[in-house]
Amino acid sequence: MSEPLLSWSHWDRCPPGAALAATDPEIATLIEAEIARQGEGLELIASENFVSPAVLEAMGSPLTNKYAEGLPGKRYYGGCEVVDKVEQLAIDRAKQLFGADHANVQPHSGATANAAVFLAVLKPGDTFLGLDMRALAREHKPKLIIAGYSAYSRVIDYAQFRAAADEVGALFMVDMAHFAGLASTGVYPNPVPVADIVTTTTHKTLRGPRGGLILCKAAHAKAIDKAMFPGTQGGPLEHVIAAKAVAFREALQPAFADYCKQVVANAQALASAMASRGWHIVSGGTDNHLFLVDLRSQGLTGKVAEHALDAAAITVNKNTVPRETQSPFITSGIRIGTPAITTRGMGVAEMARVAELIDRALRAAGDADQLAAVRHDVRALTSAFPLYPVPAGAVTA
Ligand SMILES: *Cc1c(COP(=O)(O)O)cnc(C)c1O
């Protein structure tokens, strides 16, 4: 595979444009440096992705100027007739994408989406449970049972959580922040039909702007909307909501399902290439877009590994592993994800090369010359998969 999965045909260059370059060269130069960094590096952070030019344009639009507290048709400000239509499109597309009764597209982030759910369904002192342990549910009778992970590489059995919730009269919530894109295409199970409430980010596998989304059954719609505004947030970010609508439309296209299948195929190929080079993959492989490498058998910590890879322009994050023996600031593992490199157009063939580069960098930890050599080879690979068109004369990091 070598065709990028995003279409650049109507796009000449990324911001900054002439206005920013002329009025604030300091920020303009830094944006250009970040565009260059993203283009040159190998982005393997499982929660990151690259948005399309259409998403970027919606985010950078004058919709940011509009106050629109409330919901479409029920606002506290005048002049909302246009943004009402924007937000309604985002809501309708989100509902269609996941088969949801109700959608609130206003959360500024995954964290505020979760905060709003807690405000909507829990009272101070209420119990909630975040582990799949039936005995604990029977003992503590929680009001809310939550399933949701950011470093779990296998399929979640929603039916078991649902049964535990029903047994004790709890609501069942899923935080699908990481795998929402995969769930929207059926490449990974969609929790929306099974759960009472589902929260997510829109910027991870869903490949939209940085933000959040809440989907729920009709019975919880009013409580969720009220908890979002005025409960936890003020005015919605209508420019970001427009960008969410664009991303949802993209996710409804057949090409996005192909993308999601490729993300998983790449994660499986990369995990297996790492394993054949002697690295220990937690749970032996993956069913989704990410996996964990337990570094203990090679005498490395997550912190040292992250640092070595950074020096080679390979970006991952350190992560705790099962039966962790280090502090969360050190850890014994790294988390590796394929959503971003798949968006660039890399396929299974490139995963062997990526595994080789990671392997070389990890074995060269602490050796600046060897890491610089790996960095050179990383650039050779990434330059064959161009990302955003880099403005002429951009300062590179
Ligand atoms: C990323 C993530 C969040 C937080 O999202 P933000 O937009 O950074 O607030 C919440 N829950 C899970 C499971 C996540 O993976």
Side-chain angles (χ1 to χ4, degrees):
M1 212 165 76
S2 60
E3 277 295 297
L5 292 165
L6 298 177
S7 170
W8 309 105
S9 51
H10 301 291
W11 180 260
D12 52 355
R13 55 168 283 164
C14 265
L20 187 53
T23 59
D24 195 335
E26 277 175 289
I27 288 294
T29 304
L30 289 171
I31 292 174
E32 288 181 347
E34 175 61 10
I35 292 168
R37 189 197 67 81
Q38 291 184 13
E40 287 165 6
L42 208 41
E43 183 51 73
L44 296 171
I45 292 179
S47 51
E48 293 195 11
N49 213 328
F50 302 116
V51 300
S52 71
V55 167
L56 274 177
E57 283 183 2
M59 256 192 294
S61 71
L63 297 190
T64 190
N65 298 331
K66 190 70 200 94
Y67 241 116
E69 286 181 338
L71 288 165
K74 285 171 276 184
R75 306 284 193 184
Y76 291 76
Y77 288 84
C80 288
E81 60 274 15
V82 178
V83 291
D84 272 3
K85 288 184 182 146
V86 169
E87 187 165 339
Q88 194 58 51
L89 269 176
I91 291 168
D92 293 344
R93 289 173 183 176
K95 284 164 66 177
Q96 186 189 347
L97 186 58
F98 292 100
D101 288 356
H102 180 75
N104 187 305
V105 296
Q106 294 189 354
H108 300 339
S109 69
T112 58
N114 287 341
V117 174
F118 278 46
L119 184 67
V121 306
L122 298 177
K123 292 190 297 294
D126 278 353
T127 305
F128 66 94
L129 187 63
L131 294 167
D132 54 340
M133 296 174 67
R134 210 108 174 214
L136 273 180
R138 288 192 184 116
E139 185 186 340
H140 295 284
K141 302 265 185 301
K143 285 270 166 52
L144 182 67
I145 292 183
I146 305 171
Y149 304 89
S150 51
Y152 187 66
S153 62
R154 294 303 186 178
V155 168
I156 301 172
D157 185 357
Y158 306 129
Q160 275 205 14
F161 283 89
R162 177 79 262 174
D166 289 346
E167 193 181 318
V168 298
L171 291 174
F172 173 38
M173 165 187 164
V174 176
D175 178 345
M176 63 170 178
H178 256 266
F179 55 85
L182 308 183
S184 78
T185 50
V187 168
Y188 189 84
N190 177 8
V192 172
V194 193
D196 298 294
I197 302 168
V198 175
T199 58
T200 184
T201 60
T202 48
H203 51 271
K204 299 183 183 176
T205 51
L206 196 46
R207 209 167 67 185
R210 193 160 292 282
L213 168 69
I214 307 177
L215 303 161
C216 66
K217 300 287 187 239
H220 308 293
K222 273 217 171 76
I224 290 293
D225 286 347
K226 207 172 131 220
M228 202 66 250
F229 173 82
T232 43
Q233 286 184 179
L237 312 176
E238 292 297 341
H239 57 307
V240 176
I241 289 172
K244 287 175 187 173
V246 172
F248 298 155
R249 188 180 177 283
E250 289 177 358
L252 285 161
Q253 311 304 313
F256 190 73
D258 296 341
Y259 161 70
C260 289
K261 283 181 205 140
Q262 192 65 52
V263 166
V264 177
N266 284 352
Q268 290 170 342
L270 185 52
S272 112
M274 292 285 296
S276 64
R277 287 175 179 276
W279 298 96
H280 177 82
I281 311 300
V282 171
S283 94
T286 179
D287 299 324
N288 58 23
H289 60 296
L290 63 83
F291 58 90
L292 289 179
V293 184
D294 186 332
L295 301 161
R296 284 178 288 199
S297 57
Q298 310 277 347
L300 285 172
T301 65
K303 189 179 173 184
V304 166
E306 182 188 300
H307 198 253
L309 290 166
D310 249 337
I314 301 171
T315 318
V316 305
N317 60 285
K318 60 180 180 290
N319 214 99
T320 53
V321 294
R323 291 171 296 282
E324 181 57 74
T325 43
Q326 299 278 0
S327 86
F329 300 101
I330 308 287
T331 79
S332 300
I334 49 172
R335 188 183 65 167
I336 293 180
T338 52
I341 54 172
T342 306
T343 292
R344 291 186 80 142
M346 292 188 196
V348 165
E350 282 72 35
M351 294 306 114
R353 180 89 176 116
V354 172
E356 181 216 316
L357 293 164
I358 296 171
D359 179 83
R360 276 173 55 203
L362 291 177
R363 294 186 196 285
D367 182 330
D369 289 346
Q370 277 195 59
L371 290 171
V374 180
R375 188 185 185 100
H376 179 268
D377 292 348
V378 164
R379 283 192 186 189
L381 173 63
T382 54
S383 66
F385 296 87
L387 188 58
Y388 304 116
V390 178
V395 178
T396 58

